[in-house]
Amino acid sequence: MVLALLAIAVVVANAFGRIQRWPPTAHLVTGQPTQEQPRTRDCPADAPVPPARAVVHPPPGGWPGVPQAVSVFNVFAGEVRLEYGGHRVCGLMHDARTRDSRFRAGVGMVIVPQAGNQDPVIVYWQPALKPGWIPTIRIGAPSEVQHVDTLRLVVRTACLAVALVLAATALMAYPGARDWTFLGYAALCGLSVVWQAVLSGLSGYPEPWLPVAGHEPRWFVGLSSMGLGAVLCGMWL
């Protein structure tokens, strides 16, 4: 205990001494300038237009002439397509490589319309897998829309982290208790992680780590059935 306190005292004294030696203008610069443009994906020329469609009209008097961001989320399957004038952007929720790099939890685009322009933003998507599973389209200032998009990613990641912590806790408790219930609980938490990742689109971020693309309905039905069956079996036992 005494040695630990002495070690902490030495570290604090050393750090304080370095702080005192640094001039008031001391700073640290990392990274380097880049010439990379924001990553976007043009729609394939032979890709069919999704049947569901929504039109976002400009405000009365036309667009104000400042950058506008459009973000689409809660599209659980299929490709999302956004069009403005002659500009088209497509993206898949389960493959972040196909989406604009400025949007983490949805498919989006940033436009700079001329003042007074009347061209609408048109959004296409595949029909919902179930009634009520409707997409949400958000438009506004790029900073505001991207802030909400990032916050959504943080919440989704936190949900996965909680399930992983529960699984790890159950695995650590098994060696001492020697009860198979802890292993079953850990497996159920792992199944919940995969299910949440597919449902939120995190299975494709930053790159696809589950073979979901093109088979979203099968993954949803399979994981939901397995999860419900595991819960019912655990309650019965």
Side-chain angles (χ1 to χ4, degrees), residues 43-79:
C43 300
D46 56 346
V49 179
R53 178 175 179 266
V55 179
V56 181
H57 296 282
W63 297 108
V66 297
Q68 306 287 333
V70 183
S71 177
V72 184
F73 48 89
N74 288 347
V75 177
F76 300 99
E79 193 167 48

Side-chain angles (χ1 to χ4, degrees), residues 123-147:
V123 181
Y124 300 91
W125 69 94
Q126 295 293 336
L129 297 178
K130 290 187 62 178
W133 287 21
I134 60 176
T136 300
I137 304 171
R138 187 179 183 91
I139 184 169
S143 59
E144 177 188 357
V145 174
Q146 292 168 5
H147 175 75

Side-chain angles (χ1 to χ4, degrees), residues 13-178:
N14 188 28
F16 183 76
R18 290 184 178 181
I19 293 175
Q20 292 295 326
R21 290 195 298 269
W22 286 346
T25 58
H27 62 277
L28 179 65
V29 179
T30 61
Q32 58 184 357
T34 180
Q35 298 181 358
E36 181 181 355
Q37 296 291 332
R39 183 185 63 214
T40 58
R41 173 174 172 261
D42 295 331
C43 300
D46 56 346
V49 179
R53 178 175 179 266
V55 179
V56 181
H57 296 282
W63 297 108
V66 297
Q68 306 287 333
V70 183
S71 177
V72 184
F73 48 89
N74 288 347
V75 177
F76 300 99
E79 193 167 48
V80 179
R81 178 170 179 161
L82 298 96
E83 293 186 0
Y84 171 74
H87 185 43
R88 296 183 301 176
V89 172
C90 290
L92 294 168
M93 282 299 303
H94 293 90
D95 190 352
R97 299 172 301 178
T98 66
R99 307 199 301 261
D100 191 323
S101 58
R102 292 168 289 188
F103 299 90
R104 307 297 184 181
V107 180
M109 67 184 301
V110 177
I111 60 175
V112 187
Q114 295 182 356
N117 186 279
Q118 297 286 344
D119 293 339
V121 177
I122 305 177
V123 181
Y124 300 91
W125 69 94
Q126 295 293 336
L129 297 178
K130 290 187 62 178
W133 287 21
I134 60 176
T136 300
I137 304 171
R138 187 179 183 91
I139 184 169
S143 59
E144 177 188 357
V145 174
Q146 292 168 5
H147 175 75
V148 174
D149 179 84
T150 303
L151 180 61
R152 186 175 294 273
L153 175 68
V154 171
V155 172
R156 293 175 177 178
T157 306
C159 292
L160 265 66
V162 170
L164 287 173
V165 169
L166 293 175
T169 303
L171 290 176
M172 289 188 295
Y174 172 73
R178 296 295 180 179

